[in-house]
Amino acid sequence: MSHKPRVLVVEDERTIAQAIAARLEAEGFAVDRAHDGLAALERAAAWNPELVVLDVMLPGLNGHEVCRRLQADRPVPVLMLTARDDEIDLLVGLGVGADDYMTKPFSMRELVARIRALLRRVERDRSAATAAPNANGNVNDNVNDNGLRIDGASRRVWSEADEVHLTPTEFDLLSCLAAKPGTVLSRESLLAEVWGWADASGTRTVDSHVKSLRRKLGADLVRTVRGVGYALEIGSAPEQGL
Ligand code: CA
């Protein structure tokens, strides 16, 4: 019997929670449900889910706070469900630390696809981290003139002397940009590379995560090239014998 990834579904609207759980179970996931924030934290601590689907609007402890506390406890990928499209920027601004966002109503097919993509990414990162330093070949462990240092093996980042805590998705996005400093990467290519999506339907997700990188690492770090994409701004190129 193959491994069934454990997914915790946190949603107070029971019909929605039930529908998500039923679909995920049919797709081969092990699913548990929680209907409020505190129950979600207790369940996560006891069950160690590999991914959490988290609705923002919850009674009592809201989704932001649940996400923060989940991440403080141990890193777990969080896919957040929002009621409105413009809520995503707000959540990113708050530094909630979710890895992906979907706006209701969403298709179950897309939810499953995003969950699979997120789990694949986490698995890929884990094997890259345990293999050898810089084994994935796209993380520079160096200090550039912005004082940014990225350690691909431990997946840690420092700005000057201070360690900066990034979510797994923020780290992947930064690594991707840092692999080609100064080069403009399109939203579509970042989406494909970091999120593993082939289509370009979620390019706003890229924008949202760039926003959170800027908030954590400084507004000037990532340059927007209007109509094209993003580039990591560096004082000068890292010394790699270019
Ligand atoms: Ca809700």
Side-chain angles (χ1 to χ4, degrees):
M1 182 94 197
S2 64
H3 171 71
K4 286 188 168 189
R6 294 182 305 280
V7 178
L8 178 62
V9 176
V10 185
E11 164 66 275
D12 58 312
E13 289 167 74
R14 287 171 192 252
T15 49
I16 297 178
Q18 171 57 36
I20 294 173
R23 177 61 182 259
L24 292 180
E25 277 164 1
E27 299 275 351
F29 295 94
V31 184
D32 203 350
R33 282 182 278 157
H35 302 296
D36 66 69
L38 283 176
L41 292 173
E42 280 169 20
R43 198 62 203 123
W47 194 49
N48 275 334
E50 285 148 274
L51 186 140
V52 178
V53 176
L54 177 61
D55 188 44
V56 171
M57 296 291 286
L58 293 169
L61 210 52
N62 67 29
H64 318 168
E65 193 53 32
V66 172
C67 189
R68 256 195 212 117
R69 294 199 196 176
L70 281 174
Q71 301 290 1
D73 197 26
R74 71 182 178 100
V76 57
V78 174
L79 195 162
M80 200 163 252
L81 305 178
T82 69
R84 297 192 325 268
D85 208 31
D86 59 1
E87 231 172 15
I88 295 176
D89 287 343
L90 185 71
L91 290 167
V92 169
L94 286 170
V96 163
D99 292 278
D100 203 353
Y101 299 88
M102 288 185 80
T103 305
K104 293 177 179 175
F106 50 82
S107 83
M108 287 292 177
R109 184 195 59 78
E110 187 175 4
L111 178 70
V112 170
R114 296 235 196 148
I115 287 173
R116 290 223 164 97
L118 202 45
L119 287 171
R120 265 200 307 275
R121 186 146 53 84
V122 170
E123 184 50 45
R124 189 190 67 200
D125 295 342
R126 195 177 292 133
S127 37
T130 52
N134 298 334
N136 58 9
N138 69 355
V139 177
N140 304 314
D141 183 5
N142 59 36
V143 184
N144 66 32
D145 284 359
N146 284 338
L148 182 71
R149 184 159 71 87
I150 303 170
D151 180 0
S154 64
R155 297 176 59 80
R156 295 167 72 186
V157 174
W158 291 263
S159 178
E160 305 299 343
D162 300 324
E163 181 165 9
V164 181
H165 295 281
L166 301 182
T167 69
T169 301
E170 289 162 4
F171 183 87
D172 288 342
L173 179 61
L174 180 65
S175 299
C176 197
L177 290 163
K180 293 173 186 162
T183 306
V184 184
L185 300 172
S186 72
R187 289 177 176 80
E188 289 75 16
S189 68
L190 289 167
L191 196 64
E193 180 83 16
V194 175
W195 280 265
W197 302 348
D199 68 88
S201 62
T203 48
R204 284 188 65 256
T205 302
V206 179
D207 300 342
S208 301
H209 281 82
V210 165
K211 234 181 229 181
S212 65
L213 280 182
R214 284 178 177 148
R215 193 177 46 76
K216 290 183 178 180
L217 291 164
D220 299 335
L221 183 75
V222 183
R223 179 163 53 98
T224 302
V225 182
R226 204 170 294 278
V228 185
Y230 295 106
L232 189 77
E233 202 58 89
I234 48 160
S236 65
E239 287 162 38
Q240 289 182 317
L242 294 175

